Amino acid sequence: MESFQTLDAGRCQVHALPHPAFRTKELSLRFHLRMAREHVTEVAMLPAVWMNGTRSLPTYRQIALATDHLYGTYLRASVSKRGGSHILEVGASVPDVPGEDEAALVERALDLVLSLAFDHALGAGGFAEAAVEREKALHVRRIRAVRDAKAAYALQRCHEIACRGTPAALPRLGFEEDVQAILPDRLYEVHREVLAQAEVHAYMVGQFRDMAGLAERVADRLADALPRDRARREDAVASDVVQPATVRDFEQVTEAEEAQQTQFDLAFASGVGFGDEAYPALVMMNGVLGGFAHSKLFMSIRERRSLAYSVWSFVDAATGLVTVYAGISADKRDEVRQIAEAELEALRRGEMDVSEWQETRASLCNQYQQMLDQPAMLIAWHHHGVVAGRVRTLQEMIAALERVRPEEAAEVARSLRPVCLYVLEGRGSRA
């Protein structure tokens, strides 16, 4: 059973999971903090800037050579978001090397991870003027690439509208219009603010001979590296769950792009987040509605009527939003909406075949079982629980899905309230 052992070190927590089946050792350092409009773009740039170089390894090439000397250890830095929280990660996947001193190899990989997060100075490495200018150009391209991925962009825009006025509405990568004005000193200041303000969680997963000792060393090194002006973590957990009772008037927004396909996104507020008791029922309800190729929406809209190129529904665990999204021809939007709403009404009445219920549960359990075999997914799942304020293991989630009854899924469906319809209309999709 996957159950992290946690060492509480005040400002940070170190989570360790011994796992004899994995052939790599995973080290991950995660910072999460609330998103804010005034610095969301700079925060989003930081992991890529860190990878440009440190004081001791001033260039990306030197960082890459250092990993080569660790038998191809994979070093990564990334940014993600969970509701209104930015998550910055630095991590390493360290291979098992027969005949090599495991402790020394892990310590060198840990040195690299901590160096990427902490070993920086203004004017050096990634915070040198030339490196910042290079990274700014790349960050603009990343933001534009999101817009080029029409389905993902439409889902992002839909959630921006549904969560308007809250941190959850902010885009993961920030705003293109902010990038040009960013200077190295401002970026370095934001870096220092992140280290001072963020919640800090370190993870270790795999076969470690002395995991308890390593956890203590990680905690000590983090204590030395982190600013000392913040002694404890925040006790309160900010909630981004959109409550149906507080939803504004239903909004319909249509925008246009040069594309052959129109993206249709219809979002509902459930009021149920990752940490809530009803979350497994919400996941089951969504699976029956549109989570799989056997689900109601896929069968009704795509298979029987051929109204969509693709159609699914998606649960955002942080906000509790259930979004129906489809790639359609622009003139099919009203028909697709009517069918989606009719299938949701059928769910509210409890109209679920035994076969689709059983197939949905089996498909979901299989997805979670597959996550048990992926160290990075184990870390991400646990950290999602940390951000949400309730940690549950994957086995606990699977067991909860096994207990959900159809009437509980119907009850969750009845609580859904429409928030917005966002349509990204392809100018070529009416042909």
Side-chain angles (χ1 to χ4, degrees):
M1 182 172 184
E2 116 274 2
S3 182
F4 282 90
Q5 303 162 9
T6 296
L7 173 62
D8 192 334
R11 172 69 201 282
C12 61
Q13 288 188 333
V14 181
H15 310 280
L17 177 62
H19 206 302
F22 295 147
R23 307 314 302 172
T24 61
K25 297 173 177 64
E26 291 292 326
L27 300 172
S28 176
L29 184 59
R30 287 174 169 244
F31 304 85
H32 73 262
L33 70 164
R34 297 298 288 169
M35 302 171 78
R37 176 62 183 86
E38 60 268 22
H39 56 61
V40 63
T41 309
E42 293 98 327
V43 172
M45 285 180 60
L46 284 178
V49 169
W50 293 341
M51 286 293 289
N52 270 263
T54 67
R55 282 187 294 190
S56 54
L57 298 169
T59 68
Y60 173 80
R61 175 175 170 76
Q62 288 173 287
I63 293 173
L65 287 173
T67 62
D68 287 345
H69 293 154
L70 292 176
Y71 301 94
T73 289
Y74 174 63
L75 195 66
R76 61 187 180 274
S78 65
V79 60
S80 58
K81 64 167 286 190
R82 189 76 167 172
S85 293
H86 245 151
I87 300 170
L88 283 65
E89 188 216 14
V90 179
S93 300
V94 187
D96 282 339
V97 182
E100 181 69 21
D101 184 342
E102 176 201 276
L105 189 61
V106 170
E107 287 292 336
R108 288 160 58 197
L110 178 61
D111 287 342
L112 270 180
V113 169
L114 294 175
S115 175
L116 279 186
F118 298 108
D119 184 27
H120 298 285
L122 183 61
F127 291 95
E129 184 174 357
V132 170
E133 288 302 312
R134 181 171 60 250
E135 200 53 51
K136 284 163 61 175
L138 290 171
H139 199 69
V140 167
R141 290 168 62 181
R142 293 187 197 103
I143 293 172
R144 291 177 179 174
V146 172
R147 192 175 188 111
D148 291 340
K150 302 304 182 188
Y153 174 72
L155 183 62
Q156 174 181 295
R157 284 286 294 125
C158 182
H159 285 197
E160 287 174 4
I161 297 164
C163 300
R164 183 182 287 125
T166 74
L170 295 169
R172 175 179 66 92
L173 296 177
F175 300 90
E176 182 177 343
E177 60 266 28
D178 293 350
V179 175
Q180 193 53 46
I182 295 174
L183 299 174
D185 57 349
R186 169 58 183 161
L187 198 56
Y188 185 71
E189 179 185 349
V190 171
H191 162 75
R192 298 281 297 171
E193 290 173 356
V194 167
L195 298 186
Q197 298 172 11
E199 302 287 332
V200 184
H201 294 263
Y203 286 88
M204 302 176 299
V205 177
Q207 299 185 59
F208 295 88
R209 291 195 183 95
D210 182 18
M211 184 164 273
L214 178 59
E216 291 179 358
R217 291 196 299 278
V218 170
D220 289 342
R221 295 187 65 176
L222 286 173
D224 291 339
L226 288 165
R228 299 180 183 275
D229 54 351
R230 182 180 174 195
R232 297 291 300 177
R233 299 181 309 278
E234 296 289 344
D235 292 328
V237 175
S239 176
D240 295 302
V241 177
V242 180
Q243 298 297 331
T246 60
V247 168
R248 305 174 305 275
D249 290 341
F250 180 75
E251 292 187 62
Q252 297 189 59
V253 176
T254 300
E255 296 174 343
E257 291 273 343
E258 290 294 342
Q260 289 299 311
Q261 192 176 116
T262 287
Q263 302 298 327
F264 170 102
D265 289 76
L266 178 60
F268 299 84
S270 71
V272 177
F274 181 86
D276 295 317
E277 289 296 329
Y279 181 70
L282 177 67
V283 171
M284 280 294 294
M285 184 279 300
N286 175 74
V288 174
L289 177 64
F292 301 98
H294 67 264
S295 301
K296 291 180 178 295
L297 295 178
F298 193 91
M299 296 303 297
S300 294
I301 294 174
R302 187 183 188 277
E303 293 299 291
R304 297 193 189 106
R305 297 176 177 85
S306 300
L307 295 174
Y309 306 102
S310 61
V311 56
W312 309 97
S313 64
F314 164 78
V315 173
D316 182 70
T319 61
L321 292 173
V322 176
T323 307
V324 175
Y325 57 103
I328 62 174
S329 298
D331 58 348
K332 304 298 184 183
R333 57 186 287 179
D334 292 337
E335 191 174 357
V336 168
R337 179 180 175 183
Q338 290 169 5
I339 296 171
E341 291 175 339
E343 291 295 354
L344 180 57
E345 282 301 318
L347 265 176
R348 287 168 169 159
R349 294 190 298 268
E351 296 176 10
M352 289 169 267
D353 294 340
V354 172
S355 60
E356 64 185 357
W357 180 259
Q358 292 177 341
E359 191 169 354
T360 295
R361 181 151 54 197
S363 298
L364 285 168
C365 290
N366 183 58
Q367 286 184 349
Y368 290 121
Q369 287 285 356
Q370 289 178 2
M371 291 169 65
L372 287 167
D373 297 328
Q374 303 172 59
M377 292 304 300
L378 290 172
I379 292 171
W381 176 264
H382 185 275
H383 190 244
H384 289 337
V386 169
V387 176
R390 175 181 177 176
V391 174
R392 64 171 107 214
T393 68
L394 284 164
Q395 286 97 339
E396 288 170 346
M397 183 65 184
I398 291 169
L401 291 173
E402 296 284 359
R403 292 192 299 268
V404 175
R405 303 187 309 275
E407 52 266 32
E408 293 174 309
E411 183 179 355
V412 170
R414 287 192 292 271
S415 74
L416 297 184
R417 180 176 172 184
V419 182
C420 73
L421 171 63
Y422 175 78
V423 178
L424 184 64
E425 188 169 293
R427 293 191 178 98
S429 66
R430 290 185 179 273

